[in-house]
Amino acid sequence: MKIAVAGGTGVAGRYVVEALRARGHEPVVLSRAKGVDLLDGTGLEAALAGAEGVVDVANVTTMRKKVAVDFFDRAGRNLVAAAERAGVRHLVTLSIVGVDRVRNPYYAGKLRQEEIARGGAVPWTILRATQFHEFAGQVLSGVPGPIAAVPKAPVQPVAVREVGEALADLVVGQPQGMAGELAGPRVESLVDMARALIAAGGARRRPVLPMYFPGGMSSGGLLPTGPGLRGTQTFADWLGQQRVAAPA
């Protein structure tokens, strides 16, 4: 089966591509490096020709609401319209657990992406997943200064490889609408994750200052609330497999 992967070179996308190949399918990466631009539609028609499914894991790195909403709106509209013209039978979109409960400028863009998928003519599935194990490192890299202010937040991190495998399984199946939430095997403290990552040499050594963050994050808004798939790799297992070197 030919499956197009929007964002197939990204953090999650490369695992989707890998999982599809392992299952005997033909993944086609939709990225600028492959001549496809989701924001203006360049190359989409040719890339989607003959595709039976599309996995949308395209992403933008920003904490500005306008940038996030604009990206996911334009990319989503172009992708859904092109998929409809190509006769794609199934669109699978990766979203985030708690995206509708936690106030976050980036999440506004992801909600727009969900709206476009639900409103299109292509049968769809949306998979909301919890944060990846890499989340603690992303938080630390975004906090400058001699002290790392880290949100006091419970999270249930999942291995991105397991997310990629779940998306690959979904796209070759029947559309489900809102799929069950995908989360990791156990609830962790984001503060403890950050400290463990620093201790392992995966982030610059500095004190971690736990901070209460408004908007639902610190009160458990990122945790799954319903049934769904649960990954098997814990954060400790993931950290033990990383070959990390202390940043200069």
Side-chain angles (χ1 to χ4, degrees):
M1 185 181 295
K2 180 178 178 180
I3 307 291
V5 183
T9 59
V11 174
R14 66 178 184 269
Y15 288 113
V16 177
V17 170
E18 179 181 299
L20 287 169
R21 285 203 181 107
R23 288 157 173 74
H25 301 291
E26 177 191 353
V28 176
V29 174
L30 308 183
S31 69
R32 288 181 177 176
K34 301 292 185 179
V36 179
D37 191 331
L38 294 176
L39 294 180
D40 64 14
T42 300
L44 269 175
E45 184 174 350
L48 291 179
E52 295 186 53
V54 172
V55 178
D56 185 6
V57 287
N59 194 30
V60 61
T61 302
T62 184
M63 283 302 291
R64 294 174 57 196
K65 179 178 179 179
K66 184 179 186 304
V67 173
V69 172
D70 180 67
F71 174 85
F72 286 112
D73 182 87
R74 292 167 61 192
R77 286 182 182 277
N78 286 332
L79 184 60
V80 169
E84 180 181 355
R85 291 193 298 269
V88 169
R89 69 166 188 84
H90 192 185
L91 168 66
V92 176
T93 301
L94 176 63
S95 190
I96 305 168
V97 167
V99 71
D100 53 349
R101 300 192 303 271
V102 174
R103 294 193 299 275
N104 178 290
Y106 173 76
Y107 285 9
K110 293 297 290 183
L111 283 173
R112 184 67 186 126
Q113 182 187 35
E114 288 191 3
E115 291 171 3
I116 291 169
R118 289 197 302 266
V122 180
W124 56 274
T125 299
I126 293 173
L127 174 66
R128 289 179 175 176
T130 53
Q131 282 65 39
F132 304 151
H133 292 314
E134 291 83 354
F135 185 51
Q138 294 167 351
V139 170
L140 288 171
S141 66
V143 181
I147 296 176
V150 175
K152 294 168 60 177
V155 294
Q156 196 164 334
V158 65
V160 64
R161 181 183 293 277
E162 293 179 317
V163 175
E165 291 171 350
L167 291 166
D169 288 339
L170 283 171
V171 73
V172 299
Q174 295 301 311
Q176 298 183 21
M178 295 300 297
E181 295 175 327
L182 172 59
R186 55 181 288 182
V187 176
E188 308 275 1
S189 158
L190 182 56
V191 170
D192 289 345
M193 289 169 62
R195 287 173 172 157
L197 185 63
I198 290 172
R204 179 163 60 90
R205 290 190 176 276
R206 51 184 168 153
V208 171
L209 176 63
M211 297 286 289
Y212 175 82
F213 272 56
M217 184 175 180
S218 289
S219 58
L222 296 179
L223 297 177
T225 58
L229 294 173
R230 296 295 179 262
T232 60
Q233 187 186 53
T234 66
F235 176 74
D237 291 339
W238 172 83
L239 188 59
Q241 293 177 4
Q242 305 308 299
R243 294 181 177 178
V244 293

Coordinates of all heavy atoms in Angstrom, one line a residue, residues 104-179:
N104 N -2.3 26.7 25.7 CA -1.0 26.8 25.2 C -1.0 27.3 23.8 O -1.9 26.9 23.0 CB -0.3 25.4 25.2 CG 1.1 25.3 24.6 OD1 1.2 25.5 23.5 ND2 2.0 25.0 25.5
P105 N -0.2 28.3 23.4 CA -0.3 28.9 22.1 C -0.1 27.9 20.9 O -0.8 28.0 19.9 CB 0.7 30.0 22.1 CG 1.6 29.7 23.2 CD 0.8 29.0 24.2
Y106 N 0.8 27.0 21.1 CA 1.1 25.9 20.1 C -0.2 25.0 20.0 O -0.5 24.6 18.9 CB 2.3 25.1 20.5 CG 2.6 23.9 19.6 CD1 3.1 24.1 18.4 CD2 2.3 22.6 20.1 CE1 3.3 23.0 17.5 CE2 2.5 21.5 19.3 CZ 3.0 21.7 18.0 OH 3.3 20.6 17.2
Y107 N -0.8 24.7 21.1 CA -2.0 23.8 21.1 C -3.1 24.4 20.3 O -3.9 23.7 19.7 CB -2.4 23.5 22.5 CG -1.5 22.5 23.2 CD1 -0.3 22.1 22.7 CD2 -1.9 22.0 24.4 CE1 0.5 21.3 23.4 CE2 -1.1 21.1 25.1 CZ 0.1 20.8 24.6 OH 0.9 19.9 25.3
A108 N -3.2 25.7 20.2 CA -4.3 26.4 19.4 C -4.1 26.0 17.9 O -5.1 25.7 17.2 CB -4.2 27.9 19.5
G109 N -2.8 25.9 17.5 CA -2.6 25.4 16.1 C -3.0 23.9 15.9 O -3.6 23.6 14.9
K110 N -2.7 23.1 16.9 CA -3.0 21.7 16.8 C -4.5 21.5 16.8 O -5.0 20.6 16.1 CB -2.4 20.9 17.9 CG -0.9 20.8 17.9 CD -0.4 20.1 16.7 CE -0.6 18.6 16.7 NZ -0.1 17.9 15.5
L111 N -5.2 22.3 17.5 CA -6.7 22.2 17.5 C -7.2 22.6 16.1 O -8.2 22.0 15.7 CB -7.3 23.1 18.6 CG -7.3 22.6 20.0 CD1 -7.7 23.7 21.0 CD2 -8.1 21.3 20.2
R112 N -6.6 23.6 15.5 CA -7.0 23.9 14.2 C -6.8 22.8 13.2 O -7.6 22.5 12.3 CB -6.3 25.2 13.7 CG -6.7 25.7 12.4 CD -8.1 26.2 12.4 NE -8.6 26.6 11.1 CZ -9.8 26.1 10.6 NH1 -10.5 25.3 11.3 NH2 -10.2 26.5 9.4
Q113 N -5.7 22.1 13.4 CA -5.3 21.0 12.5 C -6.4 19.9 12.7 O -6.8 19.3 11.7 CB -4.0 20.4 12.9 CG -3.5 19.2 12.1 CD -2.2 18.6 12.6 OE1 -2.0 18.6 13.8 NE2 -1.3 18.2 11.7
E114 N -6.8 19.6 13.9 CA -7.9 18.6 14.1 C -9.2 19.0 13.5 O -9.9 18.2 12.9 CB -8.1 18.5 15.6 CG -7.0 17.7 16.4 CD -7.4 17.4 17.8 OE1 -8.6 17.6 18.2 OE2 -6.6 16.8 18.6
E115 N -9.5 20.3 13.6 CA -10.8 20.8 13.0 C -10.8 20.6 11.5 O -11.8 20.2 10.9 CB -10.9 22.3 13.3 CG -11.2 22.6 14.7 CD -11.2 24.1 15.0 OE1 -11.0 24.9 14.0 OE2 -11.3 24.5 16.2
I116 N -9.7 20.8 10.8 CA -9.6 20.7 9.4 C -9.7 19.2 9.0 O -10.4 18.9 8.0 CB -8.3 21.3 8.8 CG1 -8.3 22.8 9.0 CG2 -8.0 20.9 7.4 CD1 -7.0 23.5 8.8
A117 N -9.1 18.3 9.7 CA -9.2 16.9 9.4 C -10.6 16.4 9.6 O -11.1 15.7 8.7 CB -8.2 16.1 10.4
R118 N -11.3 16.8 10.7 CA -12.6 16.4 10.9 C -13.6 17.0 9.9 O -14.6 16.3 9.6 CB -13.1 16.8 12.3 CG -12.4 16.1 13.4 CD -13.2 16.3 14.7 NE -13.3 17.6 15.1 CZ -12.5 18.3 15.9 NH1 -11.4 17.7 16.4 NH2 -12.7 19.6 16.2
G119 N -13.3 18.2 9.4 CA -14.2 18.8 8.5 C -14.1 18.5 7.0 O -14.8 18.9 6.2
G120 N -13.0 17.7 6.7 CA -12.7 17.4 5.3 C -13.6 16.2 4.8 O -14.2 15.5 5.6
A121 N -13.5 15.9 3.5 CA -14.2 14.8 2.9 C -13.5 13.5 3.0 O -14.1 12.4 2.7 CB -14.5 15.2 1.4
V122 N -12.2 13.5 3.4 CA -11.4 12.2 3.5 C -11.7 11.6 4.8 O -11.6 12.2 5.9 CB -9.9 12.5 3.3 CG1 -9.1 11.2 3.4 CG2 -9.6 13.2 2.0
P123 N -12.1 10.3 4.8 CA -12.3 9.6 6.1 C -11.1 9.7 7.0 O -10.0 9.6 6.5 CB -12.6 8.2 5.6 CG -13.2 8.3 4.3 CD -12.4 9.4 3.6
W124 N -11.3 9.9 8.3 CA -10.2 10.3 9.1 C -10.1 9.6 10.4 O -11.1 9.1 10.9 CB -10.2 11.8 9.4 CG -11.5 12.3 10.0 CD1 -12.7 12.6 9.4 CD2 -11.8 12.4 11.4 NE1 -13.7 12.9 10.3 CE2 -13.2 12.8 11.5 CE3 -11.1 12.2 12.6 CZ2 -13.8 13.0 12.8 CZ3 -11.7 12.4 13.8 CH2 -13.0 12.8 13.9
T125 N -8.9 9.6 11.0 CA -8.6 9.2 12.3 C -7.7 10.2 13.0 O -6.7 10.6 12.3 CB -7.9 7.8 12.4 OG1 -8.8 6.8 11.8 CG2 -7.6 7.4 13.8
I126 N -8.0 10.6 14.2 CA -7.0 11.5 14.9 C -6.5 10.7 16.1 O -7.3 10.2 16.9 CB -7.7 12.8 15.4 CG1 -8.1 13.6 14.2 CG2 -6.8 13.6 16.4 CD1 -8.9 14.9 14.5
L127 N -5.2 10.6 16.2 CA -4.6 10.0 17.4 C -4.0 11.0 18.3 O -3.0 11.7 17.9 CB -3.5 9.0 16.9 CG -2.7 8.3 18.1 CD1 -3.6 7.4 19.0 CD2 -1.5 7.5 17.5
R128 N -4.5 11.2 19.5 CA -3.8 12.0 20.5 C -2.9 11.2 21.3 O -3.3 10.2 21.9 CB -4.9 12.7 21.4 CG -5.7 13.8 20.6 CD -6.7 14.4 21.6 NE -7.5 15.5 21.0 CZ -8.5 16.1 21.5 NH1 -8.9 15.8 22.8 NH2 -9.1 17.1 20.9
A129 N -1.6 11.7 21.3 CA -0.6 11.0 22.1 C 0.0 11.9 23.2 O -0.1 13.1 23.0 CB 0.6 10.5 21.2
T130 N 0.5 11.3 24.2 CA 1.1 12.1 25.3 C 2.5 12.6 24.8 O 3.0 12.3 23.7 CB 1.3 11.4 26.6 OG1 1.9 10.1 26.3 CG2 -0.1 11.1 27.2
Q131 N 3.2 13.4 25.6 CA 4.5 13.9 25.3 C 5.5 12.7 25.1 O 5.4 11.7 25.7 CB 5.0 14.8 26.4 CG 4.4 16.2 26.4 CD 3.0 16.2 26.7 OE1 2.5 15.4 27.5 NE2 2.2 17.0 26.0
F132 N 6.5 13.0 24.2 CA 7.5 12.0 24.0 C 8.5 12.0 25.2 O 8.6 13.0 25.9 CB 8.3 12.2 22.7 CG 7.4 12.3 21.5 CD1 7.7 13.1 20.4 CD2 6.2 11.6 21.4 CE1 6.9 13.1 19.3 CE2 5.3 11.6 20.3 CZ 5.7 12.4 19.2
H133 N 9.3 11.0 25.3 CA 10.4 11.0 26.3 C 11.3 12.2 26.2 O 11.9 12.6 27.2 CB 11.2 9.7 26.3 CG 10.4 8.5 26.7 ND1 9.6 8.4 27.8 CD2 10.2 7.2 26.1 CE1 9.0 7.3 27.9 NE2 9.4 6.5 26.9
E134 N 11.5 12.7 25.0 CA 12.3 13.8 24.7 C 11.8 15.1 25.3 O 12.5 16.2 25.2 CB 12.5 14.0 23.2 CG 13.4 12.9 22.5 CD 12.6 11.7 22.2 OE1 11.4 11.6 22.5 OE2 13.2 10.8 21.5
F135 N 10.6 15.1 25.8 CA 10.0 16.4 26.3 C 10.8 17.1 27.3 O 10.9 18.3 27.3 CB 8.6 16.0 26.8 CG 7.7 17.2 27.2 CD1 7.6 18.3 26.3 CD2 7.1 17.3 28.4 CE1 6.8 19.4 26.7 CE2 6.3 18.4 28.8 CZ 6.2 19.4 27.9
A136 N 11.3 16.4 28.3 CA 12.1 17.0 29.3 C 13.3 17.8 28.7 O 13.6 18.9 29.2 CB 12.6 16.0 30.4
G137 N 13.9 17.2 27.8 CA 15.1 17.9 27.1 C 14.6 19.1 26.4 O 15.3 20.2 26.3
Q138 N 13.4 19.0 25.7 CA 12.9 20.2 25.0 C 12.6 21.3 26.0 O 12.9 22.5 25.6 CB 11.7 19.8 24.2 CG 12.0 18.8 23.1 CD 10.7 18.1 22.5 OE1 9.6 18.3 23.1 NE2 10.8 17.4 21.5
V139 N 12.0 21.0 27.1 CA 11.7 22.0 28.1 C 13.0 22.7 28.6 O 13.1 23.9 28.6 CB 11.0 21.4 29.3 CG1 10.8 22.4 30.4 CG2 9.6 21.0 28.9
L140 N 14.0 21.9 28.9 CA 15.3 22.5 29.4 C 16.0 23.3 28.4 O 16.6 24.3 28.7 CB 16.2 21.3 29.8 CG 15.8 20.6 31.1 CD1 16.6 19.4 31.3 CD2 15.9 21.5 32.3
S141 N 15.9 22.9 27.1 CA 16.6 23.7 26.1 C 15.9 25.0 25.8 O 16.6 25.9 25.3 CB 16.6 22.9 24.8 OG 15.3 22.7 24.2
G142 N 14.7 25.1 26.2 CA 14.0 26.4 26.0 C 14.0 27.3 27.2 O 13.4 28.4 27.2
V143 N 14.8 26.9 28.2 CA 14.9 27.8 29.4 C 16.3 28.3 29.6 O 17.2 27.5 29.9 CB 14.5 27.0 30.7 CG1 14.6 27.8 31.9 CG2 13.1 26.4 30.6
P144 N 16.6 29.5 29.3 CA 17.9 30.1 29.4 C 18.3 30.4 30.9 O 17.4 30.3 31.8 CB 17.8 31.3 28.6 CG 16.4 31.8 28.7 CD 15.6 30.5 28.8
G145 N 19.5 30.7 31.1 CA 19.9 31.2 32.4 C 20.5 30.1 33.3 O 20.6 28.9 32.9
P146 N 21.0 30.5 34.5 CA 21.7 29.5 35.4 C 20.8 28.6 36.1 O 21.3 27.6 36.7 CB 22.4 30.5 36.3 CG 21.5 31.7 36.4 CD 21.0 31.9 35.0
I147 N 19.5 28.9 36.1 CA 18.5 28.0 36.8 C 17.5 27.6 35.8 O 17.0 28.4 35.0 CB 17.9 28.7 38.0 CG1 19.0 29.1 39.1 CG2 16.8 27.9 38.6 CD1 18.4 29.8 40.2
A148 N 17.1 26.3 35.8 CA 16.1 25.8 34.9 C 14.7 25.8 35.6 O 14.5 25.0 36.5 CB 16.4 24.4 34.4
A149 N 13.8 26.7 35.2 CA 12.5 26.7 35.7 C 11.7 25.7 35.0 O 11.4 25.8 33.7 CB 11.8 28.1 35.6
V150 N 11.2 24.6 35.6 CA 10.5 23.5 35.0 C 9.1 23.4 35.6 O 9.0 23.4 36.8 CB 11.3 22.2 35.2 CG1 10.5 21.0 34.6 CG2 12.7 22.3 34.5
P151 N 8.1 23.2 34.8 CA 6.8 23.1 35.3 C 6.6 21.9 36.2 O 7.1 20.8 35.9 CB 5.9 22.9 34.0 CG 6.7 23.5 32.9 CD 8.2 23.2 33.3
K152 N 5.9 22.2 37.3 CA 5.5 21.1 38.2 C 4.3 20.4 37.5 O 3.1 20.9 37.7 CB 5.1 21.6 39.6 CG 6.3 22.2 40.3 CD 5.8 23.0 41.6 CE 5.0 22.1 42.5 NZ 4.7 22.9 43.8
A153 N 4.5 19.4 36.8 CA 3.4 18.8 36.0 C 3.6 17.3 35.9 O 4.7 16.8 35.7 CB 3.5 19.3 34.6
P154 N 2.5 16.5 36.2 CA 2.5 15.1 35.9 C 2.4 14.8 34.4 O 1.5 15.5 33.7 CB 1.3 14.6 36.7 CG 0.4 15.7 36.7 CD 1.2 17.0 36.7
V155 N 3.2 14.0 33.9 CA 3.1 13.6 32.5 C 3.2 12.1 32.4 O 3.6 11.4 33.3 CB 4.2 14.3 31.6 CG1 4.0 15.8 31.6 CG2 5.6 13.9 32.1
Q156 N 2.8 11.5 31.2 CA 2.8 10.1 31.0 C 3.5 9.8 29.7 O 2.9 9.4 28.7 CB 1.4 9.5 31.0 CG 1.4 8.0 31.2 CD 0.0 7.5 31.6 OE1 -0.8 8.2 32.2 NE2 -0.3 6.2 31.3
P157 N 4.8 10.1 29.7 CA 5.6 10.1 28.4 C 5.6 8.8 27.7 O 5.6 7.7 28.3 CB 7.0 10.5 28.8 CG 7.1 10.1 30.2 CD 5.7 10.2 30.8
V158 N 5.6 8.8 26.4 CA 5.6 7.7 25.5 C 6.8 7.7 24.6 O 7.3 8.8 24.2 CB 4.3 7.6 24.7 CG1 4.1 8.7 23.8 CG2 4.1 6.2 24.0
A159 N 7.3 6.5 24.2 CA 8.4 6.5 23.2 C 7.9 6.9 21.8 O 6.9 6.4 21.4 CB 8.9 5.0 23.2
V160 N 8.6 7.7 21.2 CA 8.2 8.2 19.9 C 8.2 7.1 18.9 O 7.3 7.1 17.9 CB 9.1 9.4 19.4 CG1 10.5 8.9 19.2 CG2 8.5 10.0 18.1
R161 N 9.0 6.1 19.0 CA 9.0 4.9 18.1 C 7.6 4.2 18.2 O 7.1 3.8 17.2 CB 10.1 4.0 18.5 CG 10.2 2.7 17.6 CD 11.3 1.8 18.0 NE 12.6 2.3 17.8 CZ 13.2 2.4 16.6 NH1 12.6 1.8 15.5 NH2 14.4 2.9 16.5
E162 N 7.1 4.1 19.5 CA 5.8 3.4 19.7 C 4.7 4.3 19.1 O 3.7 3.7 18.6 CB 5.6 3.2 21.1 CG 6.6 2.1 21.7 CD 6.4 1.8 23.2 OE1 6.2 2.8 23.9 OE2 6.5 0.7 23.5
V163 N 4.8 5.6 19.1 CA 3.8 6.4 18.4 C 3.9 6.2 16.9 O 2.8 6.1 16.3 CB 4.1 7.9 18.7 CG1 3.1 8.8 18.0 CG2 3.9 8.2 20.2
G164 N 5.1 6.1 16.3 CA 5.2 5.9 14.9 C 4.6 4.6 14.5 O 3.9 4.5 13.5
E165 N 4.8 3.5 15.3 CA 4.2 2.2 15.0 C 2.7 2.2 15.1 O 2.0 1.6 14.3 CB 4.8 1.2 16.0 CG 6.3 0.9 15.8 CD 6.9 0.1 16.8 OE1 6.3 -0.1 17.9 OE2 8.1 -0.4 16.6
A166 N 2.2 3.0 16.1 CA 0.7 3.1 16.2 C 0.1 3.8 15.0 O -1.0 3.4 14.5 CB 0.4 3.8 17.5
L167 N 0.7 4.8 14.6 CA 0.2 5.6 13.4 C 0.3 4.7 12.1 O -0.7 4.7 11.3 CB 1.0 6.8 13.2 CG 0.9 7.9 14.2 CD1 2.0 9.0 14.1 CD2 -0.5 8.6 14.1
A168 N 1.3 3.9 12.0 CA 1.4 3.0 10.8 C 0.3 1.9 10.9 O -0.3 1.6 9.8 CB 2.8 2.3 10.8
D169 N 0.0 1.4 12.1 CA -1.1 0.5 12.2 C -2.4 1.1 11.9 O -3.3 0.5 11.2 CB -1.1 -0.1 13.6 CG 0.1 -1.1 13.8 OD1 0.7 -1.6 12.9 OD2 0.4 -1.3 15.0
L170 N -2.6 2.3 12.3 CA -3.9 2.9 12.1 C -4.2 3.2 10.7 O -5.3 3.0 10.2 CB -4.0 4.3 12.9 CG -4.2 4.1 14.4 CD1 -4.0 5.5 15.1 CD2 -5.6 3.6 14.7
V171 N -3.2 3.7 9.9 CA -3.5 4.2 8.6 C -3.8 3.1 7.6 O -4.6 3.3 6.6 CB -2.3 5.0 8.0 CG1 -1.1 4.1 7.7 CG2 -2.7 5.9 6.9
V172 N -3.4 1.9 7.9 CA -3.8 0.8 7.0 C -5.1 0.1 7.4 O -5.5 -0.8 6.7 CB -2.6 -0.3 6.9 CG1 -1.3 0.3 6.4 CG2 -2.4 -0.9 8.3
G173 N -5.6 0.6 8.5 CA -6.9 0.0 9.0 C -8.1 1.0 8.5 O -7.9 1.9 7.7
Q174 N -9.2 0.7 9.1 CA -10.4 1.5 8.8 C -10.4 2.8 9.6 O -9.9 2.8 10.8 CB -11.7 0.7 9.2 CG -11.9 -0.5 8.3 CD -11.9 -0.2 6.8 OE1 -12.7 0.7 6.4 NE2 -11.2 -0.9 6.0
P175 N -10.9 3.9 9.1 CA -11.0 5.2 9.8 C -11.8 5.0 11.1 O -12.8 4.3 11.1 CB -11.7 6.1 8.8 CG -11.4 5.5 7.5 CD -11.4 4.0 7.7
Q176 N -11.3 5.6 12.2 CA -12.0 5.5 13.5 C -12.5 6.8 14.1 O -13.1 6.8 15.1 CB -10.9 4.9 14.5 CG -10.4 3.6 14.2 CD -9.4 3.1 15.2 OE1 -9.4 3.5 16.4 NE2 -8.6 2.1 14.9
G177 N -12.3 7.9 13.4 CA -12.6 9.2 14.0 C -11.6 9.5 15.1 O -10.4 9.4 14.9
M178 N -12.1 9.7 16.3 CA -11.1 10.0 17.4 C -10.7 8.6 18.0 O -11.5 7.9 18.6 CB -11.8 10.8 18.5 CG -12.1 12.2 18.1 SD -10.7 13.2 17.5 CE -9.7 13.3 19.0
A179 N -9.5 8.3 17.8 CA -8.9 7.0 18.3 C -8.7 7.1 19.8 O -8.7 8.2 20.4 CB -7.6 6.6 17.6

